[in-house]
């Protein structure tokens, strides 16, 4: 399956490729330093939130242009510094926020001056182990208390989108969708670390936090359904296949560099078969993305396709990480104690030090963002009506 571009679409593709070449840092070591420059360029061009409605600062691009933008930026390795604000909270506020909420929060997201995180474990299949926020009515509004144990990027964020259960309602019911200012009194953020000491997520504790008057989005007890639209119906990003392609190219380079005697790992028949399987899977993901694009253009339902695509992309990403560790062999074993690393150094190539850590961190992120079983449940509900 291929996407045939019109002359205008090809010109648009050339324009964004030129923009990426100018503003996205190419050398790997320059990425961290250049990310802020990239974001400033996006803001100045008006491309940080291209999929938002034009009246809120979006570009008005059609779905094909959004597809081309997502794919090309992913192929270049370019990242949005605030994906939750740009792709989830922003579109949610555009669709369901009051005019006051839109004027308070959307400009800061659009200008990249505020970041957002997401704590919606109630609709991500993580269950009660993720913790719960409870809201109690006090004079002038709501007071929040409780804990969310696994929140990605909370320490780097300004606002948290989460569910708060009415304190008078039974467990599992009566939720409101609220926005918490993470800088206000009563908010404590603590790092959640892996066995190797890496910062994987954050634990956010609220004690007597007073919700701002405009802090609730939607009805007082309609937050669960609204949160489900954020998780299941948020902006579709056409970037999964491109990210898999980039990772697969890196794995192929690694396989060519790993040598046993006079033979490269890439020449091993079993490993070559695994690479071919991943390449075939990546091509299938790209084809599925184009099916989603076609369905969206036709106004057809895409819930099952989206869930299948997320599931397949996540599975292939995990297999790629596993195969990188397999390719590195003993070099992918846990590295030296970080405290002593400056004296001990690494065994083998420098990039091997982070391979196993990256694979395990990816597993952790997949659990936090929603399990494969949850995606399968969505497919069953959409296709089979369960």
């Amino acid at each position: 399956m291929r996407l045939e571009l019109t002359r205008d679409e090809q010109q648009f593709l050339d324009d964004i490729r030129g923009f990426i070449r100018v503003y996205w840092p190419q050398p790997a070591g320059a990425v961290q330093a250049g990310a802020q420059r990239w974001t400033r360029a996006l803001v100045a061009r008006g491309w940080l939130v291209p999929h938002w409605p034009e009246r809120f600062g979006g570009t008005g691009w059609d779905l094909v242009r959004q597809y081309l933008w997502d794919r090309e930026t992913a192929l270049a390795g370019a990242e949005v510094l605030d994906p939750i604000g740009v792709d989830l909270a922003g579109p949610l506020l555009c669709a369901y926020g009051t005019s006051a909420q839109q004027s308070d929060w959307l400009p800061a997201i659009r200008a990249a001056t505020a970041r957002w995180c997401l704590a919606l474990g109630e609709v991500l299949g993580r269950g009660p182990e993720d913790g719960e926020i409870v809201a109690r009515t006090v004079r002038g509004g709501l007071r929040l208390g409780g804990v969310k144990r696994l929140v990605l990027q909370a320490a780097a964020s300004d606002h948290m989108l989460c569910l708060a259960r009415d304190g008078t309602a039974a467990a599992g019911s009566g939720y409101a969708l609220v926005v918490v200012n993470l800088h206000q009194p009563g908010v404590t953020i603590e790092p959640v670390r892996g066995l190797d000491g890496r910062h994987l997520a954050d634990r956010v504790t609220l004690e007597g936090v007073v919700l701002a008057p405009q802090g609730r989005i939607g009805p007082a007890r309609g937050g669960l359904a609204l949160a489900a639209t954020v998780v299941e119906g948020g902006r579709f990003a056409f970037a999964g296949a491109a990210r898999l392609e980039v990772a697969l190219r890196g794995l192929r380079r690694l396989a060519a560099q790993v040598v046993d005697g006079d033979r490269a790992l890439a020449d091993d028949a079993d490993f070559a078969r695994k690479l071919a399987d991943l390449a075939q899977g990546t091509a299938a993901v790209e084809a599925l993305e184009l099916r989603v694009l076609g369905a969206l253009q036709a106004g057809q339902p895409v819930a099952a396709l989206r869930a299948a695509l997320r599931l397949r992309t996540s599975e292939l990403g995990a297999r790629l990480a596993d195969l990188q560790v397999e390719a590195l062999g003993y070099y992918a074993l846990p590295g030296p104690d970080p405290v002593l690393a400056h004296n001990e150094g690494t065994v083998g190539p420098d990039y091997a030090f982070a391979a196993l850590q990256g694979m395990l961190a990816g597993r952790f992120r997949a659990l936090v963002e929603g399990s494969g079983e949850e995606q399968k449940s969505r497919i069953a509900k959409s296709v089979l009506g369960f």
Side-chain angles (χ1 to χ4, degrees):
M1 183 179 290
R2 295 181 56 206
L3 181 64
E4 298 291 340
L5 300 182
T6 66
R7 180 178 298 178
D8 287 345
E9 289 165 349
Q10 184 61 53
Q11 180 60 54
F12 173 80
L13 179 59
D14 294 339
D15 289 345
I16 60 177
R17 284 174 174 171
F19 180 85
I20 292 169
R21 282 195 300 270
V22 171
Y23 292 107
W24 179 249
Q26 299 302 312
V31 169
Q32 187 66 30
Q36 292 291 341
R37 176 173 176 265
W38 166 253
T39 301
R40 287 195 299 270
L42 290 176
V43 172
R45 188 70 176 263
W47 285 1
L48 186 71
V49 291
H51 51 286
W52 287 14
E54 288 185 86
R55 68 190 184 97
F56 293 118
T59 61
W61 290 348
D62 61 19
L63 286 167
V64 171
R65 283 169 169 76
Q66 290 183 38
Y67 170 86
L68 295 174
W69 172 254
D70 289 343
R71 180 167 174 78
E72 290 301 314
T73 50
L75 286 172
E79 298 288 346
V80 176
L81 294 184
D82 180 25
I84 299 300
V86 168
D87 288 338
L88 293 178
L92 172 75
L93 290 166
C94 290
Y96 301 103
T98 64
S99 57
Q101 290 170 333
Q102 290 165 350
S103 61
D104 281 350
W105 290 320
L106 290 180
I109 298 174
R110 194 172 57 243
T113 57
R115 296 187 65 175
W116 289 63
C117 61
L118 193 68
L120 299 178
E122 293 86 350
V123 293
L124 287 171
R126 293 208 300 269
E129 70 276 4
D130 186 48
E132 185 177 58
I133 304 298
V134 177
R136 303 191 184 281
T137 303
V138 297
R139 181 176 297 178
L142 295 175
R143 189 179 297 275
L144 306 179
V147 62
K148 300 301 292 185
R149 297 189 179 93
L150 297 173
V151 184
L152 297 177
Q153 296 295 319
S157 299
D158 303 287
H159 303 287
M160 180 175 72
L161 192 64
C162 69
L163 289 166
R165 180 172 60 83
D166 186 333
T168 63
S173 64
Y175 288 100
L177 186 62
V178 301
V179 177
V180 177
N181 180 348
L182 294 176
H183 301 302
Q184 71 184 99
V187 178
T188 303
I189 301 176
E190 304 168 281
V192 175
R193 301 189 182 278
L195 293 176
D196 58 0
R198 293 184 74 198
H199 185 179
L200 298 176
D202 296 290
R203 174 190 175 101
V204 180
T205 303
L206 308 184
E207 296 183 77
V209 171
V210 178
L211 190 67
Q214 77 277 21
R216 191 188 77 232
I217 302 176
R221 291 198 173 191
L224 200 58
L226 196 53
T229 69
V230 175
V231 174
E232 299 177 11
R235 209 271 293 200
F236 184 86
F238 299 98
R243 292 198 178 99
L244 289 172
E245 285 179 33
V246 171
L248 185 56
R249 285 203 297 264
L251 182 56
R252 283 178 171 144
R253 288 194 299 270
L254 176 62
Q257 294 168 6
V258 175
V259 176
D260 181 10
D262 59 353
R263 184 185 184 193
L265 180 61
D267 297 326
D268 178 81
D270 183 59
F271 198 86
R273 177 188 57 78
K274 293 176 181 178
L275 286 174
D277 287 345
L278 287 172
Q280 184 180 51
T282 299
V285 166
E286 183 178 2
L288 191 51
E289 284 182 347
L290 291 173
R291 282 189 62 190
V292 172
L293 175 61
L296 288 171
Q297 288 176 313
Q300 299 171 351
V302 296
L305 284 174
R306 286 167 59 115
L309 187 54
R310 287 171 177 165
L311 178 63
R312 187 60 176 152
T313 303
S314 177
E315 290 174 344
L316 283 172
R319 284 174 57 193
L320 272 161
D322 289 346
L323 204 54
Q324 182 183 42
V325 171
E326 179 181 333
L328 288 165
Y330 290 117
Y331 292 146
L333 292 173
D337 187 317
V339 176
L340 302 176
H342 66 286
N343 287 328
E344 294 183 1
T346 60
V347 177
D350 292 341
Y351 52 79
F353 183 70
L356 184 62
Q357 292 177 326
M359 184 269 286
L360 294 175
R363 291 286 199 277
F364 179 82
R365 285 193 301 272
L367 290 173
V368 172
E369 293 171 350
S371 68
E373 293 304 316
E374 181 69 15
Q375 301 295 347
K376 292 175 184 177
S377 295
R378 290 177 186 146
I379 296 171
K381 289 176 184 177
S382 299
V383 177
L384 304 176
F386 288 172

